[in-house]
Amino acid sequence: PSGAPSFDNNGLGGLDVWVPVWPATNSFEDGYCSNLKEYVIGTPEAQIYASEFDCCQENFPDQTSGVCISNLPQDLQPSGAPSFDNNGLGGLDVWVPVWTSKYNEGYCSNKKEHVYNSWGDPFDDAFECCNVWFGSQNEDQVCLSKIPDFIQPSAQPSLVELGLPGQFVAVFTNGYEDGY
């Protein structure tokens, strides 16, 4: 192999597949993904990825140097700003706890910077995350207050079937006979 990229990637250079590369230092922190022939040829199929992002996420997920992710094109790089993967409403589809110096100031976030650097399993919704990790916060309820308005829990019951709440209670007026 020449080491020069081929022109299979829509004429832009490089192959249409990506593989992890560990430099001569053999350091995880210096690792990155490449689509150059010299790296791709001879790589086992299980270590070949369809995108550079997938390759980085699979092989260098805890890389604190950010070398692999920093090689992504600018429009694919994670940022502190939320993405629009959550049904177009901003943020990712998962929520993780964000710890501050005080428990009562902790909150849950779906920003990429928090999700990618989080430990433990993420939650499917912000309310569940707040309830599990910050359910005993003082009366300020910082975690719940940071949930975007469009998904804030309310005191109103959910309306189901014919516009009525899904739970019913017995109502007694003037004794058992007049109840409904």
Side-chain angles (χ1 to χ4, degrees), residues 109-156:
S109 172
N110 67 340
K111 288 186 177 179
K112 285 182 183 180
E113 66 185 33
H114 297 133
V115 172
Y116 290 153
N117 295 318
S118 177
W119 55 270
D121 293 331
F123 292 87
D124 291 332
D125 64 69
F127 182 73
E128 182 183 10
C129 178
C130 285
N131 192 35
V132 169
W133 289 107
F134 303 107
S136 298
Q137 281 185 335
N138 63 19
E139 64 277 353
D140 293 336
Q141 294 287 304
V142 170
C143 188
L144 290 176
S145 72
K146 288 192 177 248
I147 296 174
D149 290 340
F150 60 86
I151 54 175
Q152 274 279 353
S154 71
Q156 300 297 319

Tab-separated table of all heavy atoms in Angstrom, residues 109-156:
chain	number	residue	atom	x	y	z
A	109	SER	N	-28.713	16.817	33.064
A	109	SER	CA	-28.501	17.487	31.780
A	109	SER	C	-28.532	16.476	30.642
A	109	SER	O	-28.209	15.313	30.832
A	109	SER	CB	-27.137	18.184	31.800
A	109	SER	OG	-26.803	18.685	30.523
A	110	ASN	N	-28.874	16.977	29.456
A	110	ASN	CA	-28.792	16.154	28.252
A	110	ASN	C	-27.830	16.777	27.245
A	110	ASN	O	-27.828	16.424	26.081
A	110	ASN	CB	-30.178	15.942	27.634
A	110	ASN	CG	-30.786	17.217	27.082
A	110	ASN	OD1	-30.397	18.320	27.443
A	110	ASN	ND2	-31.784	17.071	26.239
A	111	LYS	N	-26.971	17.687	27.703
A	111	LYS	CA	-25.961	18.284	26.829
A	111	LYS	C	-24.868	17.260	26.567
A	111	LYS	O	-24.495	16.483	27.450
A	111	LYS	CB	-25.369	19.536	27.454
A	111	LYS	CG	-26.328	20.707	27.452
A	111	LYS	CD	-25.643	21.957	27.937
A	111	LYS	CE	-26.577	23.151	27.872
A	111	LYS	NZ	-25.901	24.352	28.378
A	112	LYS	N	-24.353	17.286	25.346
A	112	LYS	CA	-23.318	16.328	24.956
A	112	LYS	C	-22.156	16.319	25.931
A	112	LYS	O	-21.657	15.259	26.312
A	112	LYS	CB	-22.788	16.653	23.560
A	112	LYS	CG	-23.705	16.290	22.441
A	112	LYS	CD	-23.048	16.623	21.114
A	112	LYS	CE	-23.960	16.332	19.958
A	112	LYS	NZ	-23.323	16.655	18.682
A	113	GLU	N	-21.680	17.491	26.326
A	113	GLU	CA	-20.509	17.564	27.199
A	113	GLU	C	-20.726	16.819	28.516
A	113	GLU	O	-19.796	16.259	29.081
A	113	GLU	CB	-20.110	19.011	27.477
A	113	GLU	CG	-21.135	19.767	28.284
A	113	GLU	CD	-20.794	21.235	28.450
A	113	GLU	OE1	-20.192	21.813	27.532
A	113	GLU	OE2	-21.126	21.781	29.496
A	114	HIS	N	-21.956	16.797	29.009
A	114	HIS	CA	-22.251	16.092	30.249
A	114	HIS	C	-22.478	14.600	30.003
A	114	HIS	O	-22.006	13.765	30.760
A	114	HIS	CB	-23.459	16.707	30.948
A	114	HIS	CG	-23.229	18.120	31.364
A	114	HIS	ND1	-24.140	19.113	31.120
A	114	HIS	CD2	-22.184	18.719	31.984
A	114	HIS	CE1	-23.674	20.252	31.590
A	114	HIS	NE2	-22.483	20.042	32.112
A	115	VAL	N	-23.213	14.284	28.941
A	115	VAL	CA	-23.528	12.884	28.647
A	115	VAL	C	-22.261	12.103	28.334
A	115	VAL	O	-22.042	11.003	28.845
A	115	VAL	CB	-24.547	12.773	27.486
A	115	VAL	CG1	-24.733	11.323	27.056
A	115	VAL	CG2	-25.886	13.377	27.908
A	116	TYR	N	-21.369	12.649	27.511
A	116	TYR	CA	-20.164	11.929	27.109
A	116	TYR	C	-19.175	11.759	28.256
A	116	TYR	O	-18.370	10.847	28.259
A	116	TYR	CB	-19.474	12.628	25.938
A	116	TYR	CG	-20.239	12.519	24.648
A	116	TYR	CD1	-20.117	13.483	23.677
A	116	TYR	CD2	-21.111	11.466	24.393
A	116	TYR	CE1	-20.819	13.399	22.486
A	116	TYR	CE2	-21.819	11.372	23.221
A	116	TYR	CZ	-21.663	12.345	22.271
A	116	TYR	OH	-22.359	12.253	21.104
A	117	ASN	N	-19.216	12.652	29.237
A	117	ASN	CA	-18.269	12.574	30.352
A	117	ASN	C	-18.886	12.005	31.616
A	117	ASN	O	-18.310	12.077	32.679
A	117	ASN	CB	-17.690	13.967	30.638
A	117	ASN	CG	-16.863	14.476	29.495
A	117	ASN	OD1	-16.087	13.735	28.914
A	117	ASN	ND2	-17.031	15.740	29.146
A	118	SER	N	-20.056	11.442	31.491
A	118	SER	CA	-20.768	10.919	32.657
A	118	SER	C	-20.343	9.491	32.983
A	118	SER	O	-19.931	8.736	32.120
A	118	SER	CB	-22.272	10.941	32.374
A	118	SER	OG	-22.974	10.376	33.451
A	119	TRP	N	-20.469	9.137	34.227
A	119	TRP	CA	-20.269	7.751	34.629
A	119	TRP	C	-21.647	7.187	34.954
A	119	TRP	O	-22.554	7.912	35.314
A	119	TRP	CB	-19.330	7.657	35.839
A	119	TRP	CG	-19.784	8.473	37.005
A	119	TRP	CD1	-19.473	9.767	37.278
A	119	TRP	CD2	-20.688	8.068	38.042
A	119	TRP	NE1	-20.101	10.196	38.406
A	119	TRP	CE2	-20.858	9.172	38.907
A	119	TRP	CE3	-21.367	6.897	38.329
A	119	TRP	CZ2	-21.664	9.123	40.031
A	119	TRP	CZ3	-22.176	6.860	39.455
A	119	TRP	CH2	-22.298	7.957	40.288
A	120	GLY	N	-21.792	5.912	34.808
A	120	GLY	CA	-23.078	5.272	35.104
A	120	GLY	C	-24.039	5.336	33.936
A	120	GLY	O	-23.766	5.947	32.908
A	121	ASP	N	-25.167	4.705	34.112
A	121	ASP	CA	-26.166	4.626	33.051
A	121	ASP	C	-26.991	5.907	32.978
A	121	ASP	O	-27.402	6.438	34.005
A	121	ASP	CB	-27.107	3.449	33.296
A	121	ASP	CG	-26.394	2.113	33.155
A	121	ASP	OD1	-25.425	2.051	32.378
A	121	ASP	OD2	-26.806	1.148	33.822
A	122	PRO	N	-27.257	6.382	31.773
A	122	PRO	CA	-28.100	7.566	31.627
A	122	PRO	C	-29.577	7.206	31.809
A	122	PRO	O	-29.959	6.047	31.749
A	122	PRO	CB	-27.824	8.016	30.189
A	122	PRO	CG	-27.426	6.766	29.479
A	122	PRO	CD	-26.730	5.915	30.502
A	123	PHE	N	-30.393	8.216	32.026
A	123	PHE	CA	-31.832	8.042	32.200
A	123	PHE	C	-32.549	8.468	30.927
A	123	PHE	O	-32.069	9.327	30.196
A	123	PHE	CB	-32.330	8.888	33.376
A	123	PHE	CG	-31.820	8.409	34.701
A	123	PHE	CD1	-30.601	8.847	35.189
A	123	PHE	CD2	-32.544	7.501	35.449
A	123	PHE	CE1	-30.115	8.398	36.410
A	123	PHE	CE2	-32.067	7.044	36.664
A	123	PHE	CZ	-30.852	7.499	37.147
A	124	ASP	N	-33.728	7.899	30.694
A	124	ASP	CA	-34.515	8.239	29.515
A	124	ASP	C	-35.205	9.589	29.641
A	124	ASP	O	-35.585	10.189	28.651
A	124	ASP	CB	-35.565	7.159	29.237
A	124	ASP	CG	-34.939	5.863	28.768
A	124	ASP	OD1	-33.846	5.912	28.169
A	124	ASP	OD2	-35.536	4.807	29.012
A	125	ASP	N	-35.419	10.060	30.876
A	125	ASP	CA	-36.045	11.379	31.017
A	125	ASP	C	-35.457	12.130	32.207
A	125	ASP	O	-34.912	11.541	33.137
A	125	ASP	CB	-37.571	11.277	31.113
A	125	ASP	CG	-38.047	10.541	32.343
A	125	ASP	OD1	-37.891	11.088	33.455
A	125	ASP	OD2	-38.584	9.424	32.208
A	126	ALA	N	-35.573	13.437	32.153
A	126	ALA	CA	-34.979	14.317	33.157
A	126	ALA	C	-35.624	14.124	34.526
A	126	ALA	O	-34.938	14.150	35.554
A	126	ALA	CB	-35.113	15.765	32.714
A	127	PHE	N	-36.920	13.955	34.562
A	127	PHE	CA	-37.610	13.811	35.838
A	127	PHE	C	-37.097	12.592	36.604
A	127	PHE	O	-36.835	12.665	37.797
A	127	PHE	CB	-39.121	13.716	35.624
A	127	PHE	CG	-39.876	13.626	36.916
A	127	PHE	CD1	-40.006	14.735	37.731
A	127	PHE	CD2	-40.431	12.431	37.325
A	127	PHE	CE1	-40.683	14.650	38.942
A	127	PHE	CE2	-41.108	12.332	38.529
A	127	PHE	CZ	-41.236	13.449	39.335
A	128	GLU	N	-36.940	11.465	35.907
A	128	GLU	CA	-36.432	10.248	36.552
A	128	GLU	C	-35.021	10.477	37.086
A	128	GLU	O	-34.697	10.072	38.196
A	128	GLU	CB	-36.450	9.090	35.555
A	128	GLU	CG	-35.975	7.781	36.149
A	128	GLU	CD	-35.935	6.654	35.127
A	128	GLU	OE1	-36.083	6.904	33.914
A	128	GLU	OE2	-35.733	5.508	35.571
A	129	CYS	N	-34.180	11.137	36.313
A	129	CYS	CA	-32.814	11.434	36.739
A	129	CYS	C	-32.820	12.291	38.010
A	129	CYS	O	-32.129	11.992	38.978
A	129	CYS	CB	-32.053	12.143	35.611
A	129	CYS	SG	-30.360	12.610	36.031
A	130	CYS	N	-33.623	13.359	38.013
A	130	CYS	CA	-33.715	14.234	39.189
A	130	CYS	C	-34.240	13.475	40.400
A	130	CYS	O	-33.735	13.638	41.514
A	130	CYS	CB	-34.630	15.422	38.902
A	130	CYS	SG	-33.909	16.679	37.846
A	131	ASN	N	-35.247	12.660	40.189
A	131	ASN	CA	-35.853	11.918	41.282
A	131	ASN	C	-34.849	10.959	41.926
A	131	ASN	O	-34.740	10.870	43.145
A	131	ASN	CB	-37.082	11.170	40.786
A	131	ASN	CG	-37.910	10.628	41.918
A	131	ASN	OD1	-38.017	11.250	42.964
A	131	ASN	ND2	-38.509	9.469	41.701
A	132	VAL	N	-34.081	10.242	41.098
A	132	VAL	CA	-33.124	9.261	41.618
A	132	VAL	C	-31.937	9.936	42.298
A	132	VAL	O	-31.546	9.571	43.399
A	132	VAL	CB	-32.639	8.317	40.491
A	132	VAL	CG1	-31.460	7.485	40.936
A	132	VAL	CG2	-33.780	7.425	40.035
A	133	TRP	N	-31.350	10.934	41.644
A	133	TRP	CA	-30.104	11.519	42.158
A	133	TRP	C	-30.292	12.722	43.059
A	133	TRP	O	-29.453	12.995	43.918
A	133	TRP	CB	-29.185	11.888	41.002
A	133	TRP	CG	-28.611	10.685	40.342
A	133	TRP	CD1	-28.946	10.183	39.113
A	133	TRP	CD2	-27.636	9.788	40.870
A	133	TRP	NE1	-28.239	9.048	38.849
A	133	TRP	CE2	-27.416	8.777	39.920
A	133	TRP	CE3	-26.920	9.727	42.061
A	133	TRP	CZ2	-26.528	7.746	40.107
A	133	TRP	CZ3	-26.019	8.693	42.258
A	133	TRP	CH2	-25.839	7.712	41.287
A	134	PHE	N	-31.372	13.480	42.877
A	134	PHE	CA	-31.524	14.714	43.636
A	134	PHE	C	-32.915	14.835	44.261
A	134	PHE	O	-33.404	15.933	44.505
A	134	PHE	CB	-31.259	15.921	42.718
A	134	PHE	CG	-29.899	15.874	42.071
A	134	PHE	CD1	-29.776	15.572	40.716
A	134	PHE	CD2	-28.746	16.094	42.799
A	134	PHE	CE1	-28.531	15.509	40.114
A	134	PHE	CE2	-27.495	16.032	42.208
A	134	PHE	CZ	-27.383	15.738	40.862
A	135	GLY	N	-33.543	13.711	44.540
A	135	GLY	CA	-34.898	13.695	45.078
A	135	GLY	C	-35.040	14.310	46.457
A	135	GLY	O	-36.125	14.685	46.865
A	136	SER	N	-33.943	14.451	47.187
A	136	SER	CA	-34.003	15.015	48.540
A	136	SER	C	-33.470	16.444	48.597
A	136	SER	O	-33.114	16.930	49.670
A	136	SER	CB	-33.192	14.135	49.507
A	136	SER	OG	-33.739	12.844	49.564
A	137	GLN	N	-33.409	17.112	47.450
A	137	GLN	CA	-32.946	18.507	47.464
A	137	GLN	C	-33.882	19.358	48.296
A	137	GLN	O	-35.061	19.042	48.444
A	137	GLN	CB	-32.865	19.072	46.040
A	137	GLN	CG	-31.631	18.632	45.301
A	137	GLN	CD	-31.504	19.283	43.933
A	137	GLN	OE1	-32.489	19.693	43.326
A	137	GLN	NE2	-30.281	19.359	43.444
A	138	ASN	N	-33.352	20.485	48.808
A	138	ASN	CA	-34.176	21.373	49.635
A	138	ASN	C	-35.315	21.974	48.813
A	138	ASN	O	-35.496	21.650	47.643
A	138	ASN	CB	-33.318	22.459	50.294
A	138	ASN	CG	-32.668	23.380	49.270
A	138	ASN	OD1	-33.086	23.461	48.116
A	138	ASN	ND2	-31.628	24.075	49.702
A	139	GLU	N	-36.041	22.878	49.438
A	139	GLU	CA	-37.248	23.412	48.811
A	139	GLU	C	-37.005	24.121	47.476
A	139	GLU	O	-37.931	24.310	46.690
A	139	GLU	CB	-37.978	24.361	49.772
A	139	GLU	CG	-37.193	25.607	50.151
A	139	GLU	CD	-36.185	25.382	51.293
A	139	GLU	OE1	-36.162	24.307	51.902
A	139	GLU	OE2	-35.410	26.299	51.547
A	140	ASP	N	-35.770	24.502	47.165
A	140	ASP	CA	-35.496	25.163	45.884
A	140	ASP	C	-35.606	24.201	44.701
A	140	ASP	O	-35.845	24.630	43.575
A	140	ASP	CB	-34.098	25.793	45.884
A	140	ASP	CG	-34.000	26.945	46.867
A	140	ASP	OD1	-35.047	27.546	47.186
A	140	ASP	OD2	-32.879	27.242	47.306
A	141	GLN	N	-35.414	22.894	44.945
A	141	GLN	CA	-35.542	21.879	43.900
A	141	GLN	C	-34.819	22.304	42.618
A	141	GLN	O	-35.410	22.371	41.535
A	141	GLN	CB	-37.008	21.583	43.610
A	141	GLN	CG	-37.739	20.929	44.756
A	141	GLN	CD	-37.334	19.487	44.942
A	141	GLN	OE1	-37.426	18.696	44.027
A	141	GLN	NE2	-36.863	19.147	46.131
A	142	VAL	N	-33.522	22.610	42.734
A	142	VAL	CA	-32.730	23.095	41.599
A	142	VAL	C	-32.809	22.143	40.413
A	142	VAL	O	-32.988	22.559	39.267
A	142	VAL	CB	-31.263	23.333	42.013
A	142	VAL	CG1	-30.396	23.591	40.801
A	142	VAL	CG2	-31.181	24.494	42.986
A	143	CYS	N	-32.715	20.852	40.674
A	143	CYS	CA	-32.735	19.891	39.567
A	143	CYS	C	-34.025	20.003	38.768
A	143	CYS	O	-34.004	20.152	37.551
A	143	CYS	CB	-32.529	18.465	40.072
A	143	CYS	SG	-32.312	17.275	38.727
A	144	LEU	N	-35.159	19.947	39.452
A	144	LEU	CA	-36.448	20.037	38.752
A	144	LEU	C	-36.620	21.381	38.067
A	144	LEU	O	-37.193	21.471	36.984
A	144	LEU	CB	-37.606	19.786	39.713
A	144	LEU	CG	-37.750	18.356	40.209
A	144	LEU	CD1	-38.881	18.264	41.225
A	144	LEU	CD2	-37.977	17.391	39.063
A	145	SER	N	-36.097	22.440	38.676
A	145	SER	CA	-36.264	23.771	38.083
A	145	SER	C	-35.461	23.927	36.793
A	145	SER	O	-35.777	24.792	35.980
A	145	SER	CB	-35.861	24.859	39.077
A	145	SER	OG	-34.452	24.880	39.256
A	146	LYS	N	-34.435	23.095	36.578
A	146	LYS	CA	-33.623	23.189	35.362
A	146	LYS	C	-34.169	22.345	34.212
A	146	LYS	O	-33.653	22.388	33.117
A	146	LYS	CB	-32.180	22.795	35.655
A	146	LYS	CG	-31.449	23.838	36.469
A	146	LYS	CD	-29.973	23.562	36.495
A	146	LYS	CE	-29.262	24.647	37.253
A	146	LYS	NZ	-28.423	25.449	36.400
A	147	ILE	N	-35.211	21.571	34.473
A	147	ILE	CA	-35.828	20.797	33.393
A	147	ILE	C	-36.537	21.783	32.479
A	147	ILE	O	-37.281	22.642	32.949
A	147	ILE	CB	-36.828	19.754	33.945
A	147	ILE	CG1	-36.099	18.728	34.806
A	147	ILE	CG2	-37.574	19.067	32.809
A	147	ILE	CD1	-37.021	17.745	35.495
A	148	PRO	N	-36.310	21.710	31.167
A	148	PRO	CA	-36.966	22.646	30.255
A	148	PRO	C	-38.486	22.633	30.430
A	148	PRO	O	-39.083	21.601	30.739
A	148	PRO	CB	-36.573	22.121	28.869
A	148	PRO	CG	-35.317	21.343	29.094
A	148	PRO	CD	-35.449	20.755	30.469
A	149	ASP	N	-39.094	23.798	30.214
A	149	ASP	CA	-40.541	23.948	30.406
A	149	ASP	C	-41.372	22.926	29.650
A	149	ASP	O	-42.388	22.456	30.138
A	149	ASP	CB	-40.998	25.346	29.984
A	149	ASP	CG	-40.498	26.411	30.939
A	149	ASP	OD1	-40.150	26.065	32.084
A	149	ASP	OD2	-40.460	27.589	30.538
A	150	PHE	N	-40.923	22.563	28.435
A	150	PHE	CA	-41.743	21.666	27.625
A	150	PHE	C	-41.814	20.247	28.168
A	150	PHE	O	-42.614	19.468	27.693
A	150	PHE	CB	-41.291	21.664	26.159
A	150	PHE	CG	-39.866	21.221	25.932
A	150	PHE	CD1	-39.551	19.883	25.804
A	150	PHE	CD2	-38.867	22.164	25.822
A	150	PHE	CE1	-38.244	19.487	25.593
A	150	PHE	CE2	-37.559	21.768	25.603
A	150	PHE	CZ	-37.243	20.423	25.485
A	151	ILE	N	-41.005	19.908	29.174
A	151	ILE	CA	-41.102	18.575	29.776
A	151	ILE	C	-41.223	18.649	31.295
A	151	ILE	O	-41.049	17.668	31.978
A	151	ILE	CB	-39.916	17.667	29.383
A	151	ILE	CG1	-38.580	18.312	29.703
A	151	ILE	CG2	-39.998	17.255	27.941
A	151	ILE	CD1	-37.401	17.394	29.451
A	152	GLN	N	-41.529	19.836	31.833
A	152	GLN	CA	-41.681	19.990	33.283
A	152	GLN	C	-42.871	19.179	33.780
A	152	GLN	O	-43.938	19.216	33.166
A	152	GLN	CB	-41.944	21.467	33.635
A	152	GLN	CG	-40.725	22.299	33.811
A	152	GLN	CD	-40.096	22.145	35.181
A	152	GLN	OE1	-40.642	21.501	36.070
A	152	GLN	NE2	-38.927	22.708	35.338
A	153	PRO	N	-42.688	18.443	34.896
A	153	PRO	CA	-43.854	17.761	35.468
A	153	PRO	C	-44.805	18.828	36.021
A	153	PRO	O	-44.373	19.888	36.446
A	153	PRO	CB	-43.256	16.911	36.588
A	153	PRO	CG	-41.934	17.515	36.884
A	153	PRO	CD	-41.469	18.203	35.642
A	154	SER	N	-46.087	18.553	35.980
A	154	SER	CA	-47.065	19.511	36.506
A	154	SER	C	-47.913	18.831	37.558
A	154	SER	O	-47.919	17.625	37.702
A	154	SER	CB	-47.946	20.036	35.380
A	154	SER	OG	-48.817	19.017	34.948
A	155	ALA	N	-48.675	19.630	38.268
A	155	ALA	CA	-49.577	19.081	39.277
A	155	ALA	C	-50.855	18.565	38.625
A	155	ALA	O	-51.679	17.946	39.275
A	155	ALA	CB	-49.911	20.154	40.307
A	156	GLN	N	-51.033	18.842	37.351
A	156	GLN	CA	-52.239	18.427	36.654
A	156	GLN	C	-52.164	16.942	36.306
A	156	GLN	O	-51.129	16.462	35.882
A	156	GLN	CB	-52.404	19.225	35.361
A	156	GLN	CG	-52.522	20.721	35.586
A	156	GLN	CD	-53.756	21.062	36.395
A	156	GLN	OE1	-54.811	20.491	36.182
A	156	GLN	NE2	-53.618	21.985	37.324
